[in-house]
Amino acid sequence: MELGLKGKQIFITGGSVGIGLAVARAFAREGAEVAIGARNKERVEAEAAKIAEDFGVKTLGISVDVSKPEAIEAARQIIEKEFGGIDILINNAGTGTEETVMNSTDEKWYAVWDLHVMSTVRTARAFVPYMKKRGGGVILNTASICATQPLWYEPIYNTTKAALLMLGKCMANEFISDNIRVNTMSPGLVLTPDWWKTAGVLAEKEGTSAKDYLDGVAKQYAKNERFGSPEEIAEYYVFLASDCGKYSVGSNYYVDGGWLEGVR
Ligand code: NDP
């Protein structure tokens, strides 16, 4: 299938590992030039170099903390200099949390709000002007199934991802007249290194192995009783950002192995 992504320029936040890295590699496979952003400079630069080597496309590895406005502006300047702009923006950087409403601090609420919501507002302000100049573009935001079906231990994550879901709809409505399509992805269980780390800690407490712990999580939540791989999830981003997905505007896509209860 010709996806029309060859030569497109893409910025993916949280692109150095997990879902974001798989998305970056999937776009590079289609011939797109990819800029990946994350805080850890060494890792993001190494992964960008590896993508360039594996797929023969131009890449950028940008050290950026997307929760900071000045860091987004610095990333914009690098992308302007090296790419001249972008066609596709993937707002993917994010992290799970662990708290209750009663024990959480204002500081933590604001920090995660900045990471999940304000980063998306700010990258839009930074990069939508390039898309307008190019006659259009695509933005995909990574929310989570938890935006609509919360997990009990992470109210800050659930709430900020729900806000991101609504933000995606508002952006879609605002930008479509400039031929910029905005959609949201809501993954379920995706087996990233972070899950292995969490499982290692929790499994030890329960006297089991990380693998058995993860199998238990998958059985508990996913109707197909397994985690998705980052690579499986990445294909949806590629499709939605491509010409094949051009009638999708302001929608939210669950890719969750059937975890979502009911229909929405
Ligand atoms: P990972 O923890 O594997 O990767 C997170 C990425 O984001 C890394 O590249 C990390 O690099 C980067 N990142 C984190 N904080 C910042 C920051 N402040 N500024 C810039 N980059 C940052 O996450 P996943 O791949 O698991 O998740 C990716 C997205 O998908 C997240 O938004 C997550 O909420 C969402 N999601 C994940 C699910 C899952 O099961 N894995 C399910 C549903 C949604 P660095 O640390 O160097 O900054």
Side-chain angles (χ1 to χ4, degrees):
M1 201 188 316
E2 179 47 54
L3 295 172
L5 290 168
K6 202 168 168 27
K8 294 284 186 202
Q9 294 176 305
I10 304 177
F11 180 38
I12 301 159
T13 72
S16 65
V17 70
I19 296 173
L21 177 59
V23 169
R25 293 182 64 83
F27 277 113
R29 182 196 67 206
E30 299 301 322
E33 299 184 350
V34 295
I36 55 175
R39 290 164 304 176
N40 183 319
K41 188 173 187 316
E42 207 174 305
R43 182 167 67 176
V44 76
E45 287 180 353
E47 291 298 344
K50 193 157 185 304
I51 295 171
E53 193 183 314
D54 291 349
F55 300 103
V57 294
K58 182 169 177 176
T59 64
L60 294 173
I62 303 174
S63 173
V64 54
D65 181 344
V66 294
S67 64
K68 307 264 186 307
E70 63 282 4
I72 290 177
E73 172 52 19
R76 187 199 64 75
Q77 287 177 20
I78 295 169
I79 288 171
E80 154 94 36
K81 183 163 171 271
E82 299 293 331
F83 279 4
I86 56 167
D87 306 285
I88 298 167
L89 169 65
I90 314 283
N91 288 301
N92 170 76
T95 191
T97 61
E98 191 184 351
E99 65 281 317
T100 61
V101 172
M102 295 307 284
N103 76 13
S104 53
T105 62
D106 284 9
E107 286 71 25
K108 187 168 180 188
W109 278 94
Y110 285 126
V112 183
W113 176 259
D114 271 337
L115 174 58
H116 291 157
V117 183
M118 290 314 297
S119 66
T120 304
V121 172
R122 291 169 182 147
T123 52
R125 288 185 192 136
F127 294 105
V128 161
Y130 296 105
M131 296 180 190
K132 281 188 185 178
K133 263 191 218 148
R134 293 179 178 197
V138 174
I139 300 176
L140 296 175
N141 300 327
T142 306
S144 165
I145 189 173
C146 294
T148 43
Q149 186 170 278
L151 281 169
W152 67 268
Y153 58 81
E154 49 184 0
I156 298 183
Y157 183 78
N158 300 329
T159 304
T160 53
K161 289 290 189 178
L164 177 61
L165 187 54
M166 179 54 80
L167 175 61
K169 188 72 180 170
C170 295
M171 286 165 62
N173 291 344
E174 187 172 327
F175 300 157
I176 191 60
S177 57
D178 289 305
N179 193 31
I180 298 167
R181 297 189 294 110
V182 184
N183 287 289
T184 301
M185 294 296 304
S186 285
L189 297 174
V190 186
L191 198 49
T192 57
D194 209 39
W195 265 108
W196 280 108
K197 204 170 79 193
T198 310
V201 176
L202 297 177
E204 209 175 297
K205 278 189 198 160
E206 291 181 14
T208 178
S209 70
K211 181 169 182 323
D212 284 349
Y213 178 84
L214 289 172
D215 284 347
V217 170
K219 282 209 171 75
Q220 187 181 353
Y221 294 122
K223 293 288 186 290
N224 61 0
E225 300 192 352
R226 70 172 180 88
F227 277 74
S229 70
E231 290 73 21
E232 283 176 301
I233 306 301
E235 299 302 336
Y236 292 83
Y237 288 76
V238 169
F239 178 83
L240 278 173
S242 77
D243 291 346
C244 298
K246 66 177 180 243
Y247 202 64
S248 280
V249 178
S251 291
N252 176 34
Y253 294 89
Y254 295 98
V255 187
D256 64 358
W259 182 6
L260 184 76
E261 298 296 340
V263 285
R264 259 172 259 188

